[in-house]
Amino acid sequence: MPGEAAAAPHGPAGCSDARRFELELEFVQCLASPDYLNWLAQSGTLNNPALVNFLDYLQYWLRPEYSTYIIYPHCLFFLELLQSEEFRKALASTAVKDLVHSQQFFFWQHYRANRSAAAAAAPATPHSAPSVPPQQ
């Protein structure tokens, strides 16, 4: 509109880097939903080479400086699994989707108990700062 300053795109994605970050974060977190993954597979979207390349690009979310923004951590697990063509094809099956969903449910249902049991079984060690890996 006249008199209003139009926001110019800042990058090749046609939006600012901050907006691209938000959009990619939202998409990655959607990958935590087995129903959404099943829909992508059944619609043939997971067979699209452009999406496969995009999923490969999105693996930067596995790095700690980015994964801290993730609310649904299963999305990172599924992001890794989606690198496999076999997994992408299997997701088109409703039975596989139901199996993935039930396994995801059982993980969350027993997560606290499993963590508590593992912590109780671990030997007591004094806390120290994590070691820094050597530079390459």
Side-chain angles (χ1 to χ4, degrees):
M1 297 194 96
E4 291 183 14
H10 297 279
C15 60
S16 69
D17 288 343
R19 182 66 179 141
R20 191 183 86 205
F21 178 85
E22 291 171 357
L23 292 170
E24 290 176 2
L25 174 60
E26 183 176 352
F27 177 76
V28 167
Q29 293 196 102
C30 286
L31 300 179
S33 168
D35 288 313
Y36 180 61
L37 296 175
N38 176 251
W39 179 82
L40 288 173
Q42 287 184 347
S43 68
T45 306
L46 288 181
N47 297 330
N48 183 334
L51 182 65
V52 172
N53 289 338
F54 185 59
L55 291 169
D56 183 49
Y57 158 76
L58 289 174
Q59 288 193 79
Y60 75 86
W61 284 99
L62 298 170
R63 299 192 337 230
E65 63 267 28
Y66 293 99
S67 64
T68 60
Y69 296 97
I70 298 289
I71 296 171
Y72 308 107
H74 271 152
C75 69
L76 299 176
F77 178 70
F78 291 133
L79 179 61
E80 286 185 281
L81 288 176
L82 286 167
Q83 304 306 311
S84 161
E85 181 180 1
E86 183 179 340
F87 182 70
R88 291 192 306 269
K89 287 180 180 179
L91 281 172
S93 164
T94 303
V96 170
K97 184 259 308 182
D98 290 341
L99 174 66
V100 168
H101 187 261
S102 66
Q103 293 302 306
Q104 185 181 44
F105 170 78
F106 292 135
F107 174 85
W108 286 115
Q109 183 180 29
H110 300 291
Y111 178 74
R112 183 180 302 246
N114 292 341
R115 290 258 316 183
S116 298
T125 58
H127 294 287
S128 62
S131 61
V132 177
Q135 290 185 333
Q136 295 179 4

